[in-house]
């Protein structure tokens, strides 16, 4: 049996037999470090109402549905000695490392720190937010496409309760054969209003990195993580040098309501072709029906526990997501009756509406249900025209965390 399966079995057994009244398990104090153990298990189901493309055509069950254990994250955290903190995380399902780093708080200030190892890079409000508290089952299409997630590197952050500046230099991902490309990132946030249950947040970020083997491909699933088909796709851009992405973000929390949005503009420098540009954005709104609100720290929101654990916390939400991978045009065919000539890249455009409900029960369980409505359009060389594809997807998630 593989090592990661043994680790997963042991971790689940430990979590199930230890009373979990909170979202972490205290392990011990070793060499002045207070060690805790956390975990996240997510199981998803997707049911596809296909239009043109068979969204799970590579599925193994031969049906218009897919079921999968999405995450099995095991995380050890240490606090101390002194102002030192460390974390070592591993996803036994994906067989890859998560956060694995050391952080030193300068002067004991949590908003002023040095960080070394693998961590989420300073960009994207949604990417930096906790996976277990994502508002929707799938992150926004633009987040999955443009945001830079965990990479090995060094970071520095400074700030106060209502502002922050974070910078980093990074390289490859820790797990072999995953994301590569050295670069740097910078994110600044400002919250002119920052009271309990009343937050107004703005942020800007910029990342620039080298492409792996001078090849880049931008493509996106239709907000369904178990779909095997991407409805928008730039294709392989084989003469790329660097990618730079500018991100803008805003969020407002007013008691049980939260609204947030992000915009991304990405530019790809190419050697032998015109440079390529792509962009997109999302807007979302959440309502805690049971009255709870959100916390805010370090430029990132946090989801609290239910005010009445037995009743749980109910959320309703909606999100609109738009991505544009077109940066080109069609020219008249060279011969009468021939195919139009594509100048540039026609990767397609996609709009996605998602509506959903979440139920956080007690301190360790979450149940989520989403309905996704997709409207995509992409140029087809075989059809010699732009082709629309408008599927719908029902998604469900069961989650256990400690």
């Amino acid at each position: 049996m593989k090592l990661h399966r043994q680790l997963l079995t042991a971790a689940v057994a430990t979590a199930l037999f230890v009373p979990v009244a909170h979202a972490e398990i205290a392990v011990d104090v070793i060499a002045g470090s207070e060690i805790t153990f956390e975990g996240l298990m997510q199981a998803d189901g997707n049911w596809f109402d296909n239009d043109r493309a068979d969204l799970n055509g590579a599925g193994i069950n031969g049906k218009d549905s897919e079921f999968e254990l999405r995450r099995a994250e095991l995380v050890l955290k240490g606090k101390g000695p002194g102002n030192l903190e460390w974390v070592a995380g591993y996803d036994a399902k994906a067989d890859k490392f998560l956060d694995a780093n050391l952080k030193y708080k300068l002067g004991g200030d949590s908003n002023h720190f040095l960080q070394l190892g693998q961590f989420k890079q300073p960009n994207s409000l949604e990417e930096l937010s906790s996976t277990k508290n994502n508002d929707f089952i799938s992150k926004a299409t633009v987040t999955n496409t443009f945001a830079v997630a965990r990479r090995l590197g060094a970071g520095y952050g400074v700030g106060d309760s209502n502002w922050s500046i974070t910078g980093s230099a990074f390289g490859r991902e820790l797990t072999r054969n995953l994301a590569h490309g050295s670069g740097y990132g910078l994110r600044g946030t400002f919250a002119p209003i920052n009271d309990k249950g009343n937050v107004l947040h703005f942020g800007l970020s910029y990342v620039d990195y080298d492409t792996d083997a001078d090849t880049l491909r931008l493509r996106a699933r239709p907000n369904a993580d178990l779909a095997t088909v991407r409805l928008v796709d730039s294709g392989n851009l084989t003469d790329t040098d660097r990618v730079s992405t500018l991100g803008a973000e805003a969020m407002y929390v007013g008691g049980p309501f939260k609204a947030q949005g992000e915009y991304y503009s990405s530019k790809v420098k190419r050697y032998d072709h015109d440079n390529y540009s792509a962009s997109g954005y999302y807007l979302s709104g959440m309502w805690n029906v049971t009255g709870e609100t959100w916390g805010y720290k370090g430029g990132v929101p946090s989801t609290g526990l239910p005010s009445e654990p037995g009743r749980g916390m109910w959320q309703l939400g909606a999100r609109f997501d738009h991505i544009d991978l077109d940066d080109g045009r069609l020219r008249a065919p060279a011969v009468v009756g021939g195919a139009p000539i594509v100048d540039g890249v026609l990767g397609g455009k996609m709009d996605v509406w998602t509506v959903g409900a979440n139920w956080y029960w007690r301190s360790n369980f979450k149940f989520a249900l989403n309905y996704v409505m997709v409207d995509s359009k992409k140029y087809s060389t075989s059809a010699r025209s732009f082709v629309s594809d408008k599927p719908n997807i029902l998604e469900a998630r069961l989650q256990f965390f400690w």
Side-chain angles (χ1 to χ4, degrees):
M1 181 181 291
K2 292 184 178 181
L3 176 61
H4 67 87
R5 291 184 179 176
Q6 294 174 329
L7 287 172
L8 176 58
T9 301
V12 172
T14 301
L16 291 177
F17 285 98
V18 174
V20 282
H22 47 78
E24 61 184 26
I25 298 172
V27 177
D28 203 347
V29 178
I30 302 176
S33 183
E34 301 174 6
I35 302 174
T36 58
F37 177 46
E38 299 180 6
L40 171 65
M41 306 292 170
Q42 292 177 338
D44 287 4
N46 286 182
W47 293 264
F48 301 98
D49 179 15
N50 294 319
D51 181 16
R52 299 181 67 92
D54 186 354
L55 294 181
N56 66 327
I60 61 175
N61 63 10
K63 300 178 181 179
D64 289 332
S65 59
E66 292 296 335
F67 305 91
E68 184 177 307
L69 179 65
R70 285 282 294 134
R71 292 178 178 87
E73 299 183 356
L74 314 173
V75 182
L76 284 174
K77 290 184 176 181
K79 187 176 182 180
N83 297 335
L84 185 68
E85 294 183 355
W86 59 268
V87 59
Y90 178 74
D91 187 342
K93 168 58 175 64
D95 195 14
K96 69 176 184 178
F97 290 100
L98 304 171
D99 287 339
N101 60 74
L102 296 172
K103 177 186 283 188
Y104 184 77
K105 297 179 179 179
L106 299 169
D109 187 349
S110 62
N111 293 320
H112 190 194
F113 61 87
L114 290 170
Q115 195 168 20
L116 182 66
Q118 176 162 286
F119 51 90
K120 290 183 177 180
Q121 296 305 305
N123 71 130
S124 175
L125 179 67
E126 187 177 35
E127 183 65 40
L128 290 171
S129 299
S130 173
T131 300
K132 68 183 174 64
N133 295 133
N134 281 348
D135 293 335
F136 302 92
I137 293 173
S138 176
K139 293 177 183 176
T141 300
V142 288
T143 303
N144 283 326
T145 304
F146 298 117
V148 177
R150 294 180 175 92
R151 296 287 190 92
L152 281 170
Y156 171 75
V158 63
D160 205 338
S161 60
N162 65 337
W163 67 273
S164 70
I165 298 175
T166 310
S168 72
F170 59 84
R172 53 166 287 172
E173 195 169 340
L174 180 59
T175 305
R176 188 180 180 88
N177 296 326
L178 292 183
H180 288 69
S182 60
Y184 59 90
L186 182 67
R187 178 175 182 255
T189 70
F190 176 55
I193 301 174
N194 184 13
D195 299 317
K196 184 177 180 179
N198 188 25
V199 179
L200 179 62
H201 159 99
F202 299 101
L204 284 174
S205 65
Y206 181 81
V207 290
D208 185 287
Y209 60 94
D210 189 27
T211 57
D212 185 18
D214 291 343
T215 300
L216 179 72
R217 186 177 187 180
L218 297 179
R219 54 182 182 166
R221 292 183 174 89
N223 277 10
D225 295 331
L226 303 188
T228 58
V229 173
R230 278 79 164 179
L231 297 182
V232 291
D233 188 343
S234 70
N236 285 325
L237 309 177
T238 57
D239 60 341
T240 59
D241 180 18
R242 299 190 68 84
V243 181
S244 60
T245 302
L246 177 67
E249 59 193 56
M251 180 187 68
Y252 172 71
V253 174
F257 297 95
K258 175 166 74 80
Q260 72 181 53
E262 296 190 69
Y263 172 79
Y264 300 82
S265 177
S266 190
K267 298 185 183 299
V268 181
K269 183 179 179 181
R270 306 183 70 182
Y271 295 113
D272 302 321
H273 293 81
D274 291 339
N275 294 340
Y276 171 67
S277 297
S279 63
Y281 65 89
Y282 75 85
L283 298 169
S284 68
M286 295 296 296
W287 173 38
N288 285 335
V289 181
T290 42
E292 294 85 350
T293 190
W294 285 264
Y296 179 78
K297 184 178 180 181
V300 179
S302 60
T303 303
L305 296 174
S307 57
E308 295 184 22
R311 177 191 64 184
M313 177 171 65
W314 284 92
Q315 295 180 324
L316 296 176
R319 179 179 67 196
F320 177 75
D321 193 350
H322 171 79
I323 188 169
D324 183 355
L325 299 186
D326 282 343
D327 188 13
R329 63 185 182 89
L330 292 177
R331 285 195 290 115
V335 297
V336 177
I341 298 172
V342 178
D343 282 339
V345 178
L346 294 179
K349 299 179 181 181
M350 184 165 64
D351 294 337
V352 185
W353 277 99
T354 303
V355 293
N358 301 319
W359 181 39
Y360 289 86
W361 181 56
R362 309 194 72 83
S363 302
N364 306 93
F365 297 93
K366 177 183 177 182
F367 306 89
L369 188 67
N370 287 179
Y371 188 70
V372 179
M373 297 158 283
V374 184
D375 185 353
S376 68
K377 181 178 290 186
K378 186 178 183 301
Y379 181 73
S380 168
T381 54
S382 58
R384 298 184 180 181
S385 64
F386 289 91
V387 176
S388 295
D389 199 342
K390 301 179 181 182
N392 299 314
I393 306 127
L394 180 65
E395 304 174 355
R397 168 170 291 171
L398 301 178
Q399 175 175 294
F400 173 54
F401 58 96
W402 68 91

